[in-house]
Amino acid sequence: MLNKSLILGFALPFVVAPLACGSSSSGSSTSSGPGGSSSSGEHGGGGTGGAGGSSSVNTGGGASASSASTGGTGGATSSSGGTGGAASSSGTGGTTPICGDGVPSGTQRCFATPVGYDAGGTVTALDVGAWDGNGSDIVFASGGQLSYLPGGGTGTFAASVKITGASFDTVNDLALGLLDNGTNLDIVVGGPTATKIVYGDGTGASLAIGQTNAGEGRAYDVQVADIFGSAATADVFQASVSDGDAAVMMTNGNAQPSVQASNVDISYASTGTLARTSATHTSAVWVKPGDTANLRFVPLTVNGTSLSQGTVKAVALEGNAGRMVAVDLDGDGYQEVVVLVGDKVNVFKSDGNDGWVAQGAVSYVSLAACTGPADLAAGDLDGDGDLDVAIACTGEDAIALLINDGKGNLSVEKIALDSGAAPTRIAVGDVNKDGVADIVVAATKPDDLVVVLSKP
């Protein structure tokens, strides 16, 4: 399951270091300059060492250094379209050249050749988790229908299966979570008129379809997280832009269908998340339509079965915001918020007091990510015990990786996909049960879903 409030490690000084990546066509590496991203999206065989290739930004306001990089060798990998859920791959070799020789060494990372699967149409939302109880599945929406690719925990998937009764006019987003405090995953669905809940029976079928009373209206973004002080396993953030409200729903821990205990409405939002921002609060964090250059946040307080909010505050972003993810980057128990802004990410470092650590004149660290970042997710992609961030890069047919060194220093590496893949959505989860998170993206062509297994 993609946990949209995962915890990462991050120690001061917080440094973000983009790395130049190798070209998939010639094996050479180019850099767009200090803080720039690679031209091809894949890291050469030299790994993260070699002739430098790092550019750093220190959140304490100190000077940063940059150097050019000469990449190693490596070729592109690609996947061809499978039908009926069958997978096929036309890539050469077993790993992408992000590792080079296929053998991880030091800080190198290896990823298996991307493998494509047929979802029967364009995928608008997805998540990873044990929907049928037998392993790690890919739950997705296509044409308003919820389906899943059954996975037995091996990293391969059978043909897609429709979830009976789980068909909606439109699905803008979805997230998996234990909303009724049971042992079976449920699905929160953001649709055109309301947020729905599909309650799972643990075998891949739905027990019932419920509807929240929180923030009725079109839901663009839904997030699942445990609000501090809530009795339930998972609570819900819904970003709604059609009715003037976004809402946070606190669940009551009871069996379905009556799981809603309390909710608070905030000013309407195009996207947002829930983040643990202090010892006593989880905060709602979001951006408003028409004012997406400001990040709004408000602490939430649980009083028994009721949920209340504090004072709404706002800080400036570097530009107009896209999707965001909450993740603890310094291991202090409080979550940072990573926001897509143009072709960059803005990282807001939690101060542990329901606010953000000042980074000079702003409240964020800026990092060049990729061309056309569309979605992001967090997970431990290299098996080192801290969490990293993966980004679907629509504009360059690639996945960008923000690799955490365990101290919060983030370096950018990329995995190339097929030409025209243009990934739009991304999820992270351990689909082959090796203890390391893998990556799933919704692609444009030649496949609807692409799986990239981590091979640390």
Side-chain angles (χ1 to χ4, degrees), residues 237 244-248 264-269 284-286 298 300 309 312:
F237 176 93
D245 291 308
V248 179
V264 297
D265 288 336
I266 56 180
S267 60
Y268 50 124
V285 186
W286 74 99
V298 62
L300 306 171
Q309 66 183 75
V312 176

Side-chain angles (χ1 to χ4, degrees), residues 178-244:
L178 297 173
L179 295 182
D180 56 5
N181 267 10
T183 58
N184 303 321
L185 286 176
D186 310 304
I187 310 172
V188 180
V189 181
T193 59
T195 297
K196 305 285 188 178
I197 301 176
V198 179
Y199 298 98
D201 70 352
T203 68
S206 63
L207 288 170
I209 308 293
Q211 177 174 312
T212 75
N213 295 322
E216 296 303 335
R218 180 169 67 91
Y220 170 77
D221 192 3
V222 292
Q223 303 280 332
V224 173
D226 182 22
I227 296 174
F228 176 76
S230 169
T233 303
D235 306 292
V236 178
F237 176 93
Q238 172 191 304
S240 177
V241 298
S242 61
D243 69 342

Side-chain angles (χ1 to χ4, degrees), residues 79-330:
S79 60
S80 62
T83 58
S88 61
S89 173
S90 59
T92 57
T95 61
T96 65
I98 200 168
C99 177
D101 58 5
V103 180
S105 174
T107 57
Q108 290 182 332
R109 280 156 291 280
C110 293
F111 292 84
T113 300
V115 177
Y117 291 86
D118 180 23
T122 301
V123 173
T124 59
L126 75 163
D127 206 345
V128 175
W131 173 247
D132 65 5
N134 293 323
S136 194
D137 313 307
I138 302 172
V139 177
F140 64 92
S142 179
Q145 172 68 51
L146 295 192
S147 305
Y148 72 101
L149 294 183
T154 64
T156 60
F157 299 88
S160 64
V161 178
K162 292 182 178 179
I163 300 175
T164 304
S167 181
F168 309 95
D169 291 338
T170 304
V171 176
N172 299 318
D173 200 14
L174 67 83
L176 294 171
L178 297 173
L179 295 182
D180 56 5
N181 267 10
T183 58
N184 303 321
L185 286 176
D186 310 304
I187 310 172
V188 180
V189 181
T193 59
T195 297
K196 305 285 188 178
I197 301 176
V198 179
Y199 298 98
D201 70 352
T203 68
S206 63
L207 288 170
I209 308 293
Q211 177 174 312
T212 75
N213 295 322
E216 296 303 335
R218 180 169 67 91
Y220 170 77
D221 192 3
V222 292
Q223 303 280 332
V224 173
D226 182 22
I227 296 174
F228 176 76
S230 169
T233 303
D235 306 292
V236 178
F237 176 93
Q238 172 191 304
S240 177
V241 298
S242 61
D243 69 342
D245 291 308
V248 179
M249 182 190 80
M250 183 176 72
T251 56
N252 57 24
N254 295 338
Q256 57 83 25
S258 300
V259 299
Q260 182 164 318
S262 177
N263 70 276
V264 297
D265 288 336
I266 56 180
S267 60
Y268 50 124
S270 57
T271 186
T273 192
L274 293 169
R276 181 69 182 274
T277 52
S278 71
T280 55
H281 292 128
T282 295
S283 290
V285 186
W286 74 99
V287 294
K288 289 179 63 174
D291 188 21
T292 54
N294 286 295
L295 187 74
R296 285 171 164 77
F297 54 102
V298 62
L300 306 171
T301 300
V302 176
N303 301 296
T305 59
S306 66
L307 183 65
S308 62
Q309 66 183 75
T311 301
V312 176
K313 298 180 180 179
V315 293
L317 288 150
E318 192 172 8
N320 293 322
R323 294 185 181 273
M324 62 186 73
V325 66
V327 59
D328 182 359
L329 292 177
D330 58 5

